[in-house]
Amino acid sequence: MAKRRAAWMCAAWTLTAGGCTTLVGLDDGYHLVDGAGGEAGAGAGGGEVVVPTDVELIDDMEDGDSAIDEAGGRVGYWYSFNDGTGTQTPPVYSEENPVGFIPEALAEPRGESTMAMHTFGSGFTEWGAGFGFALNGPDGGLLAYDASAYSGIVFWAKLGDAGAATTMKVNITDKTSDPAGGICDESGEDVANPCFDDWSSTARLGTAWAPVVIPFEEFARGGGGAEPIDLTGLFAIEFGFTEGEDFDVYIDDVGFYK
């Protein structure tokens, strides 16, 4: 697992040398709430979910590239990762597979939304696979992002294949869990402070598009501990599946809410 983010930053910047584009004329919350702020939906987390009205969009995917929207001090790129034992589409970037992780056109648009991130795969036997994006990765680096102005994250999700895994891990990497923070132990010797023990929550997936709203207070580290997440030092948001799971998921309109 420690190798999962080793090459994606350089690859993302190489593949998107032209920079990111910005949609003109759309309210940041438009796609997220389908034009009606505060509407209730069938939540992927179970039960009814009310989509927040005060949302700051991270990426709506409509520009078709791998870059998140350059706003709010954020700059980053989508990437896929896995343990190398199975197959995943889009594949992890490498010299042999120089393929970027870009949005896919939806066969049936979700309202005004015509593109979304899509990944599917199977056969992983070690720790699994996933995808995500950096929040502050200028010039191929990885810097902490201050998300203390927000209360949580929101996005839309659905299954691509009804037979795929119906739960998905939603992880936040930060300065306490990522080696870039210089705090955790990457060697594995310090069991009380290991790297890649990310802040995690779980989202339920169905065959229809549904909003997922996760307050930061619902994220917890696998190793336990009572300390809250330090929102001033976030690195990335990731979506993942464990070993043995067949997965096929679409993600659209990711944002922070206040």
Side-chain angles (χ1 to χ4, degrees):
M1 181 180 288
K3 297 179 180 179
R4 73 189 193 191
R5 305 183 196 116
W8 66 265
M9 270 306 227
C10 179
W13 274 93
T14 300
L15 289 161
T16 55
C20 74
T21 59
T22 303
L23 281 172
V24 177
L26 289 181
D27 178 82
D28 280 350
Y30 183 82
H31 294 302
L32 278 163
V33 297
D34 285 336
E39 276 195 347
E48 188 177 84
V49 171
V50 177
V51 180
T53 57
D54 194 356
V55 173
E56 186 170 314
L57 198 63
I58 297 173
D59 195 12
D60 65 5
M61 295 78 169
E62 294 300 300
D63 53 16
D65 65 22
S66 64
I68 64 174
D69 291 345
E70 247 182 71
R74 295 180 293 274
V75 55
Y77 299 90
W78 288 86
Y79 54 89
S80 57
F81 58 87
N82 60 61
D83 64 26
T85 61
T87 58
Q88 180 181 11
T89 302
V92 175
Y93 179 93
S94 68
E95 291 184 0
E96 294 76 23
N97 292 297
V99 180
F101 195 176
I102 60 175
E104 178 180 307
L106 295 172
E108 296 182 9
R110 183 180 60 80
E112 295 295 323
S113 182
T114 64
M115 305 191 79
M117 288 300 182
H118 179 211
T119 189
F120 58 92
S122 62
F124 294 99
T125 59
E126 291 185 6
W127 48 262
F131 62 111
F133 55 87
L135 291 163
N136 188 13
D139 301 322
L142 189 60
L143 302 175
Y145 178 76
D146 186 351
S148 59
Y150 310 106
S151 297
I153 64 173
V154 56
F155 58 92
W156 287 78
K158 75 162 190 148
L159 290 172
D161 182 341
T166 57
T167 59
M168 173 180 67
K169 289 293 185 183
V170 182
N171 294 337
I172 293 176
T173 76
D174 72 344
K175 60 187 180 183
T176 63
S177 67
D178 194 290
I183 296 174
C184 63
D185 175 41
E186 196 172 3
S187 70
E189 296 178 1
D190 185 356
V191 295
N193 190 38
C195 288
F196 304 106
D197 180 19
D198 299 325
W199 296 87
S200 182
S201 185
T202 300
R204 295 180 61 84
L205 303 170
T207 56
W209 284 107
V212 180
V213 180
I214 309 178
F216 286 131
E217 62 194 35
E218 291 187 5
F219 286 88
R221 297 183 73 184
E227 77 282 1
I229 185 171
D230 183 354
L231 296 175
T232 65
L234 306 190
F235 285 119
I237 295 174
E238 297 180 340
F239 309 90
F241 299 88
T242 59
E243 69 277 5
E245 290 186 315
D246 293 349
F247 58 92
D248 190 342
V249 63
Y250 286 86
I251 298 289
D252 196 12
D253 293 349
V254 183
F256 286 125
Y257 70 89
K258 294 184 177 179

